[in-house]
Amino acid sequence: MKQIKIEGNHILEGEIKISGAKNSAVALIPASLLSDGIVKIDNVPDISDVDALDEILTYLGADVKRQEGTIEIDSSKIQNKEIPENISKKLRASYYFMSALLAKFKKVEMYFPGGCNIGSRPIDQTLKAFRLLGAEVIEEENKYTITAKELIGNNIYLDMPSVGATINAMLVAVRAKGKTNIYNAAKEPEIVSIATFLNQMGAKILGAGTNRIEIVGVDKLDSCFTEVIPDRIEAGTYIIAGAMTGKNLKITNIIPEHIESLTTKMQEMGCDIKIGEDYVIVSKRENLKPVKIQTQGYPGFATDLQQPITALLTMCNGLSTLEETIYENRFNNVKYLNKMGASIIIEGRKIFVNGPTLLSGKKVEATDLRAGACMVVAALAAQGETTITSIEYVLRGYEKIIEKLTNVGAKIELQDI
Ligand code: EPU
């Protein structure tokens, strides 16, 4: 078990280079199974979620080579084996293997995926898409046996713009006969990225990034090369840290458009933030204005930044409100922020943050990935020392977090306990 110890209230100054996006890499890697050739992906973050996917690919018999941010996958010899529950439970993204294996072998047996404990995370829209594309789904407790005599294109209307269901539907539809339309599709940059990747393999996908994606199935997908897009959530997390305790902190290798819902909200708060072509420079400023935030699918305010920004809301003069519309239970960070001195009340899916309050170092827990990120940014700005336990959650999603923060002046240490 590991924990992080942070001595807070040091100015963050210098440059942080953003890594490849976790939520894009974790879809591209399973999708590579669809290729009959060799797939090479660059800018892959070195995080434990990628290790878990590597483990699954290797278990299935793929030849996986990883070297300094590049992963090369040859899945020409993979076997359609049931992925053991203890591996699939390690991460949410294991469910992309459901669609990739179904598309490739027309049969898959898999367990319910894992992921952070932030409320019930059903996969009914994914299963609906599989059924509409011609598959039969048998559910036994938390195990799914999915088979198809033939995969045939269809119109799929998603009840909500689910990222996972959109990607899973795309992965199957590219190998289904005929045309598929996904309506009410998710529009996240990760969706565009996977569509570009599949099109490079020879798929025919139009409209990714809009709410209707059209796919015409093909018989074969070939070798290809792609690069993972910059991680907008990692970027957002460090930008928030910069607004809390930075001085000209430069966050580089970003796509500013991907974080516009965050940066415009921070401008509304009065944060000192300059946006360049592929970077942001941010400094701490006092007297921030309170704001209202509601999480939404892209291009709305990202749920994955909701917990980190709560730390910044504690610095605003007055009452900020934040409504979480995607997940039922994504406020596990609040208890610990309050322990550090914040004044936050939870009412259903809303929180009310009364500021400004001074944060002081305490012993806290990373209850999930983004709750942990919230604790890290809070601890960086807090007076005194904070210890964050269950830090493994954070290491799942933030590449070289200790090194990146140390380089800009943070006093942060990873400890084995
Ligand atoms: N939902 C359903 N049924 C479905 C699918 C979704 O009810 O079939 C509802 C659930 O409430 C679910 C919510 O919609 O919790 C969001 O689901 P979605 O499918 O959009 O999300 P996901 O694919 O499970 C990905 C990211 C999450 C990120 C969301 C939203 C990965 C591996 N995970 O999850 O990332 O919050 O999209 O943008 O890509 C994180 O990085 O901390 C994280 C949780």
Side-chain angles (χ1 to χ4, degrees):
M1 295 236 293
K2 290 183 193 308
Q3 64 180 26
I4 281 182
K5 206 170 167 185
I6 296 177
E7 185 190 294
N9 207 19
H10 289 280
I11 289 172
L12 304 182
E13 205 173 359
E15 188 179 317
I16 298 180
K17 186 170 176 229
I18 296 307
S19 302
K22 166 181 96 78
N23 288 346
S24 186
V26 298
L28 295 169
I29 294 169
S32 66
L33 277 191
L34 290 173
S35 168
D36 294 320
I38 294 175
V39 168
K40 199 170 163 190
I41 310 172
D42 217 350
N43 201 31
V44 177
D46 187 9
I47 51 177
S48 53
D49 269 12
V50 169
D51 298 339
L53 295 173
D54 182 349
E55 191 183 344
I56 298 177
L57 278 171
T58 308
Y59 172 81
L60 293 172
D63 183 15
V64 183
K65 292 193 186 89
R66 278 170 79 182
Q67 205 182 20
E68 283 173 36
T70 300
I71 186 164
E72 207 178 277
I73 303 160
D74 177 355
S75 16
S76 55
K77 296 197 183 69
I78 64 157
Q79 291 173 341
N80 191 13
K81 290 196 280 184
E82 178 184 310
I83 299 167
E85 191 175 11
N86 64 325
I87 316 184
S88 59
K89 247 168 79 173
K90 282 189 183 171
L91 77 171
R92 182 73 177 168
S94 60
Y95 74 167
Y96 294 134
F97 282 104
M98 269 188 190
S99 48
L101 290 170
L102 176 63
K104 192 149 186 150
F105 296 105
K106 299 203 177 68
K107 175 165 188 194
V108 59
E109 282 182 86
M110 240 190 95
Y111 289 88
F112 193 81
C116 284
N117 182 15
I118 47 183
S120 78
R121 300 178 72 181
I123 60 166
D124 54 298
Q125 299 303 300
T126 286
L127 300 178
K128 177 171 89 175
F130 290 165
R131 288 186 176 109
L132 284 167
L133 293 168
E136 186 193 9
V137 181
I138 298 170
E139 296 182 48
E140 276 167 298
E141 292 189 23
N142 58 342
K143 189 183 163 188
Y144 300 87
T145 305
I146 307 163
T147 45
K149 284 198 186 74
E150 207 176 14
L151 294 164
I152 303 169
N154 204 343
N155 287 334
I156 301 166
Y157 294 85
L158 297 179
D159 292 349
M160 76 282 295
S162 153
V163 171
T166 303
I167 294 179
N168 277 322
M170 282 164 78
L171 294 183
V172 177
V174 290
R175 293 297 304 270
K177 276 207 176 105
K179 195 201 264 186
T180 296
N181 283 300
I182 308 171
Y183 294 98
N184 198 21
K187 300 191 286 268
E188 270 68 3
E190 292 74 21
I191 308 286
V192 179
S193 168
I194 194 103
T196 312
F197 178 61
L198 293 167
N199 281 343
Q200 273 173 20
M201 285 188 201
K204 293 182 179 161
I205 306 172
L206 290 173
T210 74
N211 57 11
R212 186 178 77 88
I213 302 177
E214 185 188 298
I215 302 152
V216 177
V218 294
D219 290 336
K220 192 175 176 337
L221 293 164
D222 281 322
S223 303
C224 81
F225 167 77
T226 197
E227 214 177 331
V228 181
I229 54 171
D231 195 315
R232 61 199 166 97
I233 309 302
E234 186 199 15
T237 305
Y238 291 130
I239 291 170
I240 290 166
M244 294 185 74
T245 184
K247 188 173 161 204
N248 292 325
L249 181 69
K250 190 170 181 184
I251 314 296
T252 62
N253 191 36
I254 63 164
I255 299 176
E257 190 194 331
H258 289 176
I259 47 166
E260 228 164 69
S261 58
L262 171 74
T263 50
T264 50
K265 193 50 79 178
M266 288 176 70
Q267 282 163 339
E268 200 181 310
M269 292 162 80
C271 291
D272 180 354
I273 177 164
K274 293 178 200 74
I275 301 162
E277 207 175 307
D278 63 352
Y279 64 87
V280 160
I281 296 175
V282 58
S283 299
K284 176 181 175 177
R285 186 180 273 167
E286 304 289 340
N287 292 320
L288 298 179
K289 292 195 244 342
V291 285
K292 279 194 177 138
I293 297 175
Q294 190 189 53
T295 62
Q296 299 275 337
Y298 189 84
F301 194 93
T303 170
D304 296 342
L305 285 172
Q306 176 266 103
Q307 290 163 306
I309 205 168
T310 306
L312 178 61
L313 296 182
T314 68
M315 285 175 54
C316 295
N317 282 325
L319 189 69
S320 294
T321 59
L322 195 158
E323 186 180 358
E324 170 59 61
T325 69
I326 313 283
Y327 294 108
E328 294 166 340
N329 182 23
R330 216 177 197 187
F331 292 137
N332 288 327
N333 53 324
V334 167
K335 169 177 153 192
Y336 295 104
L337 280 176
N338 281 342
K339 187 174 175 187
M340 293 175 77
S343 169
I344 308 173
I345 294 166
I346 307 178
E347 272 181 25
R349 292 245 187 145
K350 277 192 183 162
I351 57 170
F352 299 89
V353 187
N354 212 341
T357 46
L358 270 184
L359 298 176
S360 54
K362 289 280 175 320
K363 198 169 172 13
V364 298
E365 191 186 333
T367 53
D368 55 81
L369 167 58
R370 307 300 171 188
C374 168
M375 296 322 349
V376 171
V377 293
L380 289 168
Q383 302 274 354
E385 194 175 275
T386 301
T387 305
I388 311 171
T389 54
S390 303
I391 207 67
E392 285 81 1
Y393 279 114
V394 177
L395 304 179
R396 282 181 46 188
Y398 289 83
E399 184 184 47
K400 298 193 177 87
I401 185 167
I402 308 292
E403 197 181 313
K404 287 187 185 189
L405 285 170
T406 303
N407 285 344
V408 293
K411 299 279 173 271
I412 178 168
E413 202 186 315
L414 186 65
Q415 302 175 325
D416 283 310
I417 50 170

